[in-house]
Amino acid sequence: MQAWEEHVRKVVPYTPGEQPVCKDIIKLNTNENPYPPSPKALEVLQNIDGQLLRKYPDPEARQLVEELAGYYGRKTSEVFVGVGSDDVLAMSFLTFFNGQKPILFPDITYSFYDVWADLFRIPYECQPLDDKFKIRTKDYKKRCGGIVIPNPNAPTGVEKELSELEEIIAANRDVIVIIDEAYIDFGGTSAVKLLPEYDNLLVVQTFSKSRSLAGMRIGYAFGNEKLIKYLNDAKYSFNSYTMNTITAAMGAAAVRDDAYFKATIDKIISTREWTKQELARLGFTFPDSKSNFIFASHARRPAAEIFEALKVQGIYVRYFDKPRINNYLRITIGTDREMKALIEFLEKYLGENV
Ligand code: PMP
């Protein structure tokens, strides 16, 4: 070790899902939307005046903030936007989790939370899910430095009832509770409606899943004015121009195209329900999912083997080699054609491997 290495901020980074360059694969590994972004958003991209890019973007991304505020019935001062919800969440950890007490989140959850906690030197305590992969309300009713809960949870897809989340938010009024709603649009009930009641609540959402814009990197959060002001103060102390001109304009157009948004979600939900039936028929078990993925395990074949066999076939799903979940596959919902190809392969594979 070099002497200077002693002063390096050492972190074990988050490992994102693979993004293979090869085009002929069925990609069900990173919870992307299989459908294209709204044609209205793509129109904005095609018609963008290149001369605009000479100038810095609007640091407040007002066009997008106004559209989001209007759509969700909030004031613009209650909206924060960032470069994907990862950026919004990272900024929120930095801003709100600044105490001595550990923050709380589930033991099986989005694996970026502990990475940010380590990066920002935030103490944390993971709360075990029950044997049905459910978050236990009572685990979050103790003194702590803050709470972050994804709803639905990832990678399980399990939704927690809003009334139970409200119990947690109400029991923790002296700290910030972040509800990460990356997958809420696929049939869950959003905590946005609790915002008028709770000044300690931050609801975070993304354009990466339900709005098919993972590549543009747009995330946002709703909270009361004071909380959003604190978030913006931290953001402007870090980088004023996080969101570029094109992204803000495309995001605003995507929000305006509500019909396309709803139609895409309906398609994904119906494909998900079909996939659930087919996986069950093939002997898979899974907690009920309210997201755009299914977390499935097979009684006879180890998940790691199925994962490899699928990959050879050009079907990418996600496998986490971690305690309690190392016999599960997280399968993103693709198009009907993609899911049929998955099921056909699994049927053949499992038939041959009895
Ligand atoms: N939260 C959860 C629970 C997620 O699964 C993801 C996707 N990896 C994110 C946040 C971040 O998504 P993005 O940065 O694309 O908005």
Side-chain angles (χ1 to χ4, degrees):
M1 193 161 104
Q2 308 291 325
W4 54 262
E5 281 185 83
E6 197 190 322
H7 309 294
V8 168
R9 183 178 290 265
K10 296 178 197 71
V11 282
V12 181
Y14 170 76
T15 317
E18 262 181 275
Q19 294 292 357
V21 272
C22 159
K23 279 196 169 150
D24 303 333
I25 61 158
I26 295 182
K27 194 169 177 306
L28 309 175
N29 68 333
T30 47
N31 296 343
E32 288 142 338
N33 195 311
Y35 299 106
S38 147
K40 300 266 167 55
L42 294 178
E43 220 171 88
V44 168
L45 182 64
Q46 272 137 23
N47 296 330
I48 206 93
D49 173 8
Q51 291 305 317
L52 270 182
L53 303 181
R54 185 177 59 75
K55 294 193 278 180
Y56 285 108
D58 170 11
E60 294 172 34
R62 260 168 305 188
Q63 194 184 2
L64 178 61
V65 166
E66 277 166 19
E67 213 61 61
L68 284 168
Y71 187 84
Y72 290 96
R74 314 304 314 159
K75 289 194 267 179
T76 53
S77 52
E78 296 169 329
V79 184
F80 177 82
V81 294
V83 184
S85 55
D86 281 341
D87 179 43
V88 175
L89 287 162
M91 212 37 83
S92 307
F93 272 50
L94 182 68
T95 309
F96 301 121
F97 298 157
N98 203 27
Q100 306 293 317
K101 293 202 183 62
I103 62 163
L104 310 178
F105 51 82
D107 61 343
I108 297 169
T109 195
Y110 185 32
S111 41
F112 225 138
Y113 298 155
D114 56 351
V115 174
W116 288 316
D118 288 337
L119 175 65
F120 299 136
R121 311 280 192 263
I122 302 164
Y124 62 93
E125 220 178 66
C126 294
Q127 308 303 305
L129 298 184
D130 74 10
D131 56 1
K132 294 202 168 63
F133 286 149
K134 289 203 152 152
I135 290 167
R136 297 183 302 196
T137 305
K138 67 176 172 55
D139 292 344
Y140 297 84
K141 287 183 169 178
K142 54 183 163 195
R143 290 194 59 75
C144 64
I147 290 173
V148 55
I149 292 178
N151 198 41
N153 195 8
T156 62
V158 176
E159 188 193 19
K160 189 161 179 64
E161 280 213 14
L162 194 58
S163 59
E164 293 172 14
L165 281 181
E166 184 170 5
E167 246 185 81
I168 292 174
I169 299 159
N172 286 281
R173 297 207 74 147
D174 54 349
V175 294
I176 299 298
V177 179
I178 301 175
I179 307 296
D180 175 358
E181 295 192 334
Y183 303 101
I184 199 70
D185 294 326
F186 301 103
T189 306
S190 174
V192 163
K193 65 165 78 117
L194 300 180
L195 284 164
E197 278 292 309
Y198 299 97
D199 64 358
N200 60 322
L201 170 62
L202 186 77
V203 181
V204 179
Q205 298 190 355
T206 178
F207 281 54
S208 299
K209 323 289 178 183
S210 53
R211 295 187 189 274
S212 306
L213 282 167
M216 287 313 283
R217 312 301 299 124
I218 311 176
Y220 53 102
F222 301 113
N224 77 81
E225 261 174 32
K226 203 168 173 186
L227 208 142
I228 296 300
K229 161 90 168 62
Y230 279 124
L231 255 181
N232 272 316
D233 286 350
K235 174 209 144 148
Y236 292 124
S237 310
F238 203 81
N239 178 358
S240 319
Y241 305 110
T242 50
M243 183 161 289
N244 70 64
T245 307
I246 302 172
T247 304
M250 280 182 78
V255 178
R256 280 194 293 274
D257 197 355
D258 195 38
Y260 183 85
F261 171 62
K262 292 200 168 117
T264 308
I265 288 170
D266 285 350
K267 278 196 280 188
I268 292 172
I269 292 177
S270 98
T271 309
R272 177 187 70 202
E273 296 309 307
W274 177 85
T275 309
K276 281 181 190 171
Q277 285 176 16
E278 291 297 301
L279 288 174
R281 180 174 66 78
L282 298 180
F284 283 91
T285 52
F286 43 86
D288 192 34
S289 167
K290 281 285 178 64
S291 62
N292 67 337
F293 56 85
I294 298 171
F295 198 50
S297 176
H298 198 269
R300 281 184 285 106
R301 306 302 303 167
E305 277 177 30
I306 306 177
F307 171 76
E308 290 302 336
L310 282 168
K311 202 165 175 179
V312 170
Q313 198 63 23
I315 303 175
Y316 283 56
V317 298
R318 190 95 193 251
Y319 173 70
F320 300 93
D321 193 4
K322 289 185 176 173
R324 273 187 79 187
I325 57 169
N326 59 8
N327 203 24
Y328 283 82
L329 298 172
R330 194 195 65 190
I331 305 167
T332 303
I333 303 303
T335 60
D336 284 341
R337 189 187 57 79
E338 289 173 324
M339 300 322 277
K340 277 195 187 111
L342 169 86
I343 296 296
E344 274 167 26
F345 172 76
L346 287 174
E347 187 152 28
K348 198 161 129 266
Y349 173 81
L350 294 166
E352 284 165 2
N353 287 279
V354 184

